[in-house]
Amino acid sequence: ESQSVLDVVTYIQRHIDPTLSYRFACRVGMCGSCAMTVNGAPRWTCRTHVDKVAADGRLEIAPLANLPVIRDLVTDMGEFFDKWARAKGQFAGERKRGDDFARVAPGSAPRRLADAGIECIGCGVCYSACDVVAWNKDYLGPAALNRAWTLVNDERDAQQGVRLRAVGGDAGCRSCHTHVSCTERCPKALSPTAAIAGLKRATAK
Ligand code: SF4
Ligand code: FES
């Protein structure tokens, strides 16, 4: 009961079916690579104990939904991370090597908003849980929008207008129906829903 779901998958591969393909790296909830669908819900499997999720003593393990399956439990994360790029999810500074360090007050309101979403591990659980992603393959999805929101609140970043345009279109924050599945499922207890609401306000302004 106290083994993780990832331990079960590993056992199956080592003792029952050596052809089984799956993905993991850290085994301690840091890398985000072990996410799968367990009894119908997306989860990080290295931190999910069997007794928390087994239903009538059974586990049904499947690949993440909303992503192409490469093989068995391995999904192609390409579109997931391509959407981070489309949402301008990369920091763009303007200071040069000789400039002084930027000083961001730890208690400032934007810093706190950025902090609230910064611990994303890119696991794809929210993306797999999102109904809007299932309906609209173009939708940027909760993780990419959460990342964009952390950067909107980074006073050092120099591509704010470009980013707000990138997340404000039909495939962006306004497509979110606020079902809150992403926030309900995020293993890091982040709230992409709150981040998307912030983007809706920022793009409206
Ligand atoms: Fe995973 Fe949460 Fe980041 Fe989504 S927001 S990719 S569920 S850590
Ligand atoms: Fe790294 Fe699960 S194996 S988060």
Side-chain angles (χ1 to χ4, degrees):
E1 293 86 358
S2 59
Q3 298 298 102
S4 69
V5 173
L6 183 63
D7 290 333
V8 172
V9 174
T10 301
Y11 182 90
I12 292 169
Q13 194 218 42
R14 294 202 181 148
H15 299 279
I16 301 172
D17 181 359
T19 72
L20 178 65
S21 297
Y22 64 108
R23 193 186 274 135
F24 74 97
C26 72
R27 304 185 63 154
V28 289
M30 290 177 67
C31 72
S33 65
C34 67
M36 302 171 199
T37 305
V38 184
N39 282 358
R43 297 179 179 278
W44 55 357
T45 56
C46 71
R47 300 290 300 273
T48 300
H49 285 176
V50 168
D51 59 355
K52 295 277 186 318
V53 286
D56 296 328
R58 294 174 64 87
L59 288 179
E60 185 178 300
I61 304 171
L64 283 181
N66 291 345
L67 288 162
V69 176
I70 297 173
R71 183 176 146 157
D72 298 335
L73 300 169
V74 179
T75 50
D76 182 347
M77 302 294 284
E79 71 178 48
F80 175 73
F81 287 113
D82 285 349
K83 287 178 179 179
W84 288 44
R86 271 175 50 202
K88 302 292 171 207
Q90 56 284 95
F91 175 77
E94 53 190 354
R95 293 188 179 227
K96 300 285 180 297
R97 184 182 295 234
D99 294 343
D100 196 6
F101 287 110
R103 289 181 172 75
V104 179
S108 71
R111 174 61 193 259
R112 283 169 181 268
L113 287 170
D115 277 355
I118 206 72
E119 295 293 338
C120 173
I121 54 173
C123 63
V125 162
C126 56
Y127 191 84
S128 170
C130 178
D131 290 328
V132 183
V133 172
W135 299 330
N136 175 5
K137 286 312 260 179
D138 244 11
Y139 178 50
L140 293 170
L145 293 170
N146 175 73
R147 172 64 181 156
W149 177 239
T150 62
L151 289 164
V152 165
N153 286 289
D154 190 329
E155 350 181 334
R156 305 163 305 161
D157 189 277
Q159 58 170 358
Q160 297 297 356
V162 178
R163 181 173 300 107
L164 287 178
R165 273 193 293 282
V167 300
D170 285 345
C173 59
R174 284 170 197 290
S175 290
C176 172
H177 288 225
T178 323
H179 286 178
V180 199
S181 313
C182 52
T183 300
E184 204 174 82
R185 297 246 48 89
C186 174
K188 299 292 288 181
L190 308 186
S191 176
T193 311
I196 292 167
L199 289 176
K200 286 177 177 172
R201 289 192 301 276
T203 50
K205 276 191 215 162

